[in-house]
Amino acid sequence: MLWSILIHCSQPNRRLDDNIRTVVRGQTNVGQDGRQALEEAQNAIQQLFGKIKDIKDKAEKSEQMVKEITRDIKQLDHAKRHLTTSITTLNHLHMLAGGVDSLEAMTRKRQYGEVANLLQGVVNVLEHFHKYMGIPQIRQLSERVKAAQSELGTQILADFEEAFPSQGSKRSGGPSNVLRDACLVANVLDPRIRQEIIKKFIRQHLSEYLVLFQENQDVAWLDKIDRRYAWLKRQLVDYEEKYGHMFPEEWCMTERIAVEFCHITRVELAKVMRTRAKEIEVKLLLFAIQRTTNFEGLLAKRFTGCTLTDVPGKKADSPLQSTNPFLEDEAADDPGSEKEEDLDRPRKPKAPDNPFHGIVSKCFEPHLYVYIESQDRNLGELIDRFVADLRAQGPPKAGPEEGGAVLPSCADLFVYYKKCMVQCSQLSTGEPMIALSTIFQKYLREYAWKILSGNLPKTSSSSGGLTISSLLKEKEGSEAAKFTVDELCLICSILSTAEYCLATTQQLEEKLKEKVDKVLVERINLTGEMDTFSTVISNSIQLLVQDLDAACDPALTAMSKMPWQSVEHVGDQSPYVTSVIMHIKQNVPIIRDNLASTRKYFTQFCIKFTNSFIPKFINHLFRCKPISMVGAEQLLLDTHSLKTVLLDLPSIGSQVHRKAPASYTKIVVKGMTRAEMILKVVMAPHEPAVVFVDNYIKLLADGNPETFQKILDMKGLKRSEQSNMLDLFRQRLPTPPSGSDGGPSLSFSAPTPEQESSRIRRLEKLIKKRL
């Protein structure tokens, strides 16, 4: 059995040995095959290197063969190129020599027609010989060409001088074919020759103008400025008929005559205006400027302005940008009418592509002070008229649906400003615009102080306060507000006007900056005037607040003087509350209706009144001492009534109830909740003292001992008791956190308005049950 098992196990072992032996023998054969393959690859690489070397040798031999073949061809190409260049140069030399001879002969015979074409050809041929100027013969031909050009220039100038002499008022010559051909020659010569011809001809052509319009002549003054422009129109027509075909079209002689006329006219007008400066009046100046700008517009329609850059010292003015927003009111006006009474009306702006803008009218700029002074006087008279009209007619009336009425004088002032700005921008965009903006600033301030601030009602110094007895017995409507209804309407109207002026002044500043030259933009600044109107707005709101505040003062005074210790039962709201509500209902609807168009300022009024009334109410509350439990309950009910009225203040007496702004509601809730907390502390029993002090600290969150002592006074405690309470209060105050300034204020949070509202409602239910 054991033997059979051994035999059975040895069989797999033998098979495994056979497999191992076969694998080992196979690996021996693979090594031999690899060595054999490597040898074969090395032999193949050697054969490939040999073939590549053979190919390279053959390529070198082929290249050498090609070089030998093409060497002769290259020599032939060079010879051909040199031969062609030599032939061409000889031809040019022959043409140059012949051309120079012909040019000298034609110059002597004044054959300008042939010379014009020949000279251009000779100059072109001579350019090919610049690199041969070292050869004496070539240099000699070049000098002969220059001499011929110089002789031609001198000769042509002499011919023009003979045809158009500079001396004498009459022309002895006229246009001819010779001069026409001479102009063609001048195109080829030095540009200075052409400029000299143009200069002499234009000077001679305008010599009559200088004589007719001398400074001492009557027609030289501004009132006859039309005659200057009419004279030029006749001269241009005369030139076109007689000399239009003599000068080449590209010389633009008609435009050059007009441009030179403009330069002379600008200088002559400046000279005569300096001499007779005292005679310049506003209407005369505007008349001359209007006629001149119209003439410049005609030039822009007739000419392109291409010669302006050729004139030394002349810089084309930047085109006038038509961005004036105030032209919308004048767009419907008829610009064709030029009657004398319409001179002050703004004109439409010149075309933005007018290259002739200012070419003559620039001379009027130094005298625009006359226009500025006139506007200064006119605006001064306008302000005086506004003051008189307001005193005579009173403030404008406005219904509730219209909102606050803006003073009509405000619109008149800015309409006049618009007209002045448009007109001045047509005259100049430089220093005169700065001067005009200074005038605007001056009268904006005068309008703010004379028309607006000067007409605000003055507060009365006499105190017509109510007595306690009269206040307790007063009936609704028995007391009038400090300001009358008309005065309240006037204040609101002034406030609305100041707001309109503030917004319009800002727009005016922006438009002035658009109109003035860019280098002067920084000098336009109306911030001071806008601040002035802001001050008027603030003063108007303060007046409204003071009026309502003063109307409520007697009621608060009566509250502080009532015997709250002897109040036996809690009833309806006290008479002083009724008085305060009555004054609020009298003033606030009037103010709201008149400030309907400026809602944000009505909100400011409500906030400022609340910020003034609530602290004053709390101060008077502290004066109510001593207070019994029932008196404190009555005051708490009154305080809640005032809080309700103040929360409804923005929409009180209005058929449309709007939700009060969140910022306003937060102020009312915070202030009146403090008043309610004061009364709750007063109502709390002062025994035990520790509980009372902790309750005070919890409700009021005020660490000031003075406030705590006022609470004790309201409760009617004796001084000895107060002393003990104050000592305990100081002991019970929480320690301020590290890093604080150690002030009396506390950092813990007060009860939320919702919690206090629920407490007030519970208190009201308690009071009703007791009643």
Side-chain angles (χ1 to χ4, degrees):
M1 185 67 171
L2 180 61
W3 179 252
S4 61
I5 293 173
L6 291 174
I7 294 174
H8 180 74
C9 293
S10 63
Q11 289 178 356
N13 291 337
R14 284 196 296 270
R15 286 196 298 270
L16 182 61
D17 291 338
D18 293 340
N19 292 335
I20 292 173
R21 191 179 300 109
T22 302
V23 171
V24 170
R25 289 175 180 174
Q27 290 296 327
T28 303
N29 295 333
V30 169
Q32 293 176 357
D33 294 342
R35 285 193 295 271
Q36 183 179 358
L38 180 61
E39 292 175 358
E40 292 177 357
Q42 291 176 348
N43 293 333
I45 291 172
Q46 290 177 358
Q47 293 176 3
L48 180 62
F49 279 147
K51 292 181 180 179
I52 291 175
K53 184 176 180 182
D54 292 341
I55 294 173
K56 183 177 179 181
D57 292 340
K58 291 180 181 179
E60 290 177 353
K61 292 179 181 179
S62 300
E63 183 179 2
Q64 186 65 28
M65 186 181 300
V66 170
K67 286 182 179 179
E68 292 176 356
I69 294 173
T70 59
R71 183 182 297 112
D72 296 336
I73 298 176
K74 286 183 179 180
Q75 291 178 352
L76 291 175
D77 286 342
H78 288 306
K80 179 181 179 182
R81 187 180 304 111
H82 293 159
L83 182 62
T84 302
T85 303
S86 301
I87 294 173
T88 303
T89 303
L90 288 174
N91 287 335
H92 286 165
L93 181 61
H94 176 71
M95 293 169 58
L96 179 62
V100 170
D101 293 337
S102 301
L103 182 63
E104 292 175 342
M106 292 177 183
T107 300
R108 289 191 294 269
K109 297 179 182 180
R110 284 182 165 78
Q111 296 176 349
Y112 296 133
E114 292 80 0
V115 168
N117 296 325
L118 179 60
L119 179 60
Q120 185 63 55
V122 169
V123 171
N124 292 338
V125 172
L126 187 61
E127 291 178 356
H128 294 284
F129 290 92
H130 282 323
K131 56 185 176 181
Y132 303 117
M133 286 301 171
I135 302 175
Q137 291 81 357
I138 301 298
R139 186 167 60 252
Q140 182 180 5
L141 287 175
S142 176
E143 292 174 354
R144 288 176 62 188
V145 171
K146 292 180 180 178
Q149 288 177 325
S150 177
E151 183 180 355
L152 277 172
T154 304
Q155 189 171 292
I156 290 173
L157 290 177
D159 291 344
F160 270 94
E161 181 66 25
E162 181 181 353
F164 306 101
S166 57
Q167 301 295 331
S169 59
K170 293 186 178 180
R171 308 178 183 113
S172 59
S176 64
N177 293 332
V178 174
L179 294 180
R180 183 187 61 191
D181 295 339
C183 292
L184 298 177
V185 176
N187 268 338
V188 185
L189 297 175
D190 192 325
R192 288 178 295 181
I193 302 298
R194 183 186 65 179
Q195 293 175 3
E196 187 68 21
I197 293 173
I198 293 173
K199 181 179 178 181
K200 286 186 176 182
F201 178 81
I202 293 178
R203 185 195 311 148
Q204 194 275 339
H205 207 71
L206 296 178
S207 59
E208 180 183 350
Y209 173 71
L210 293 172
V211 175
L212 292 176
F213 294 91
Q214 286 183 0
E215 184 179 349
N216 57 357
Q217 298 295 325
D218 183 57
V219 294
W221 190 228
L222 301 180
D223 58 345
K224 297 180 177 59
I225 197 170
D226 282 338
R227 297 190 182 184
R228 294 177 180 266
Y229 307 133
W231 183 89
L232 176 67
K233 294 175 184 177
R234 293 193 300 270
Q235 291 302 312
L236 293 181
V237 172
D238 180 68
Y239 166 82
E240 292 289 348
E241 293 177 353
K242 295 182 179 180
Y243 307 102
H245 301 289
M246 188 176 76
F247 295 99
E249 184 178 354
E250 62 269 19
W251 285 21
C252 303
M253 286 299 293
T254 308
E255 181 176 327
R256 292 181 185 275
I257 293 172
V259 169
E260 184 64 22
F261 168 84
C262 291
H263 295 328
I264 294 174
T265 302
R266 185 178 68 249
V267 173
E268 293 297 319
L269 285 176
K271 190 187 302 181
V272 72
M273 283 191 291
R274 281 196 303 269
T275 305
R276 304 172 64 176
K278 295 183 180 180
E279 302 178 33
I280 300 178
E281 298 177 353
V282 177
K283 286 189 176 181
L284 179 62
L285 181 66
L286 292 178
F287 168 81
I289 292 175
Q290 184 184 39
R291 293 298 191 268
T292 302
T293 51
N294 291 341
F295 171 72
E296 292 171 350
L298 290 176
L299 292 180
K301 294 179 180 179
R302 174 64 175 82
F303 305 116
T304 62
C306 61
T307 64
L308 292 176
T309 54
D310 296 341
V311 181
K314 169 63 180 176
K315 184 179 180 181
D317 293 289
S318 58
L320 184 66
Q321 297 297 326
S322 178
T323 58
N324 191 342
F326 303 116
L327 286 177
E328 58 189 8
D329 295 334
E330 291 82 32
D333 295 337
D334 182 12
S337 177
E338 296 180 357
K339 297 181 181 179
E340 183 176 354
E341 58 269 21
D342 293 335
L343 290 177
D344 290 335
R345 294 176 57 191
R347 297 180 301 279
K348 288 187 176 180
K350 289 173 281 297
D353 58 347
N354 182 1
F356 296 94
H357 171 56
I359 191 171
V360 179
S361 58
K362 204 76 173 177
C363 66
F364 297 110
E365 188 167 320
H367 303 276
L368 288 179
Y369 68 88
V370 177
Y371 171 78
I372 302 298
E373 291 173 354
S374 172
Q375 299 306 324
D376 190 359
R377 291 191 298 270
N378 293 342
L379 284 169
E381 296 172 358
L382 193 63
I383 294 294
D384 293 339
R385 180 165 62 83
F386 290 161
V387 173
D389 291 347
L390 186 59
R391 291 175 180 173
Q393 302 173 6
K397 307 297 181 182
E401 69 281 356
E402 298 174 1
V406 176
L407 297 178
S409 59
C410 173
D412 294 341
L413 177 67
F414 281 99
V415 166
Y416 192 83
Y417 273 10
K418 293 173 186 178
K419 185 178 80 168
C420 292
M421 189 179 68
V422 171
Q423 196 172 50
C424 188
S425 65
Q426 304 300 314
L427 308 180
S428 172
T429 57
E431 288 294 336
M433 283 292 287
I434 301 297
L436 185 66
S437 68
T438 304
I439 298 298
F440 286 174
Q441 290 176 276
K442 172 184 175 182
Y443 288 102
L444 284 173
R445 292 191 298 268
E446 286 201 12
Y447 186 85
W449 296 122
K450 289 185 177 181
I451 308 296
L452 302 182
S453 293
N455 285 281
L456 284 173
K458 303 298 186 293
T459 56
S460 175
S461 59
S462 61
S463 60
L466 303 175
T467 63
I468 299 175
S469 58
S470 64
L471 176 61
L472 294 176
K473 297 178 181 178
E474 76 174 79
K475 298 180 180 178
E476 188 169 348
S478 62
E479 287 295 331
K482 194 171 186 180
F483 287 145
T484 64
V485 175
D486 288 342
E487 288 174 332
L488 290 176
C489 292
L490 175 60
I491 295 173
C492 294
S493 180
I494 289 175
L495 192 154
S496 301
T497 303
E499 185 204 22
Y500 173 83
C501 291
L502 176 62
T504 312
T505 301
Q506 185 176 3
Q507 296 173 4
L508 178 64
E509 180 185 48
E510 295 172 357
K511 301 310 174 185
L512 283 171
K513 288 182 178 180
E514 289 180 7
K515 284 298 181 184
V516 78
D517 292 338
K518 292 183 178 180
V519 295
L520 302 176
V521 167
E522 296 299 326
R523 295 173 60 182
I524 301 291
N525 187 358
L526 304 184
T527 304
E529 288 64 40
M530 288 186 275
D531 292 342
T532 301
F533 289 117
S534 298
T535 303
V536 174
I537 293 172
S538 179
N539 292 343
S540 300
I541 295 175
Q542 193 61 34
L543 270 181
L544 296 173
V545 171
Q546 288 176 359
D547 176 62
L548 184 55
D549 210 15
C552 297
D553 279 346
L556 297 179
T557 303
M559 176 194 77
S560 63
K561 294 183 179 181
M562 286 181 65
W564 293 104
Q565 190 178 19
S566 59
V567 176
E568 298 178 353
H569 61 274
V570 178
D572 293 333
Q573 63 187 23
S574 300
Y576 76 88
V577 177
T578 304
S579 176
V580 170
I581 295 175
M582 177 193 69
H583 289 301
I584 289 176
K585 288 184 176 180
Q586 283 178 350
N587 281 27
V588 174
I590 296 173
I591 296 172
R592 182 184 58 245
D593 292 342
N594 281 275
L595 295 182
S597 59
T598 56
R599 190 74 186 175
K600 62 179 179 179
Y601 294 118
F602 174 69
T603 303
Q604 287 185 21
F605 159 76
C606 294
I607 292 175
K608 286 188 176 183
F609 171 72
T610 304
N611 282 330
S612 173
F613 175 79
I614 293 178
K616 187 179 294 186
F617 173 73
I618 292 176
N619 288 335
H620 282 79
L621 203 59
F622 283 131
R623 297 177 188 175
C624 299
K625 54 187 178 181
I627 304 176
S628 64
M629 177 66 69
V630 179
E633 292 177 355
Q634 180 64 50
L635 277 172
L636 190 58
L637 180 62
D638 295 340
T639 302
H640 184 67
S641 299
L642 287 174
K643 179 180 178 181
T644 304
V645 171
L646 290 177
L647 287 173
D648 192 44
L649 181 68
S651 59
I652 193 168
S654 174
Q655 296 180 355
V656 179
H657 288 273
R658 294 183 180 178
K659 185 178 180 181
S663 58
Y664 171 78
T665 303
K666 183 177 180 181
I667 293 172
V668 174
V669 171
K670 181 179 179 181
M672 295 306 291
T673 299
R674 176 175 171 79
E676 293 170 345
M677 293 303 102
I678 291 172
L679 293 172
K680 288 192 66 176
V681 173
V682 172
M683 293 169 59
H686 60 279
E687 294 292 345
V690 175
V691 176
F692 176 77
V693 171
D694 289 344
N695 191 36
Y696 168 84
I697 294 175
K698 178 182 178 182
L699 292 178
L700 285 183
D702 189 344
N704 192 343
E706 295 180 0
T707 305
F708 183 69
Q709 187 168 4
K710 291 178 182 179
I711 297 291
L712 299 179
D713 290 338
M714 293 174 70
K715 291 182 69 65
L717 297 181
K718 297 178 180 180
R719 289 299 175 184
S720 59
E721 295 176 322
Q722 290 186 15
S723 178
N724 296 331
M725 284 282 192
L726 286 171
D727 292 339
L728 182 60
F729 171 73
R730 293 186 180 94
Q731 295 173 7
R732 302 293 293 178
L733 280 177
T735 304
S738 59
S740 66
D741 57 1
S745 61
L746 302 180
S747 60
F748 48 80
S749 59
T752 63
E754 291 76 9
Q755 294 172 345
E756 295 306 325
S757 178
S758 63
R759 293 177 182 176
I760 294 298
R761 285 195 292 271
R762 289 199 299 269
L763 179 61
E764 288 177 346
K765 292 179 180 179
L766 178 61
I767 293 173
K768 290 179 180 178
K769 289 180 179 179
R770 293 185 59 179
L771 290 174

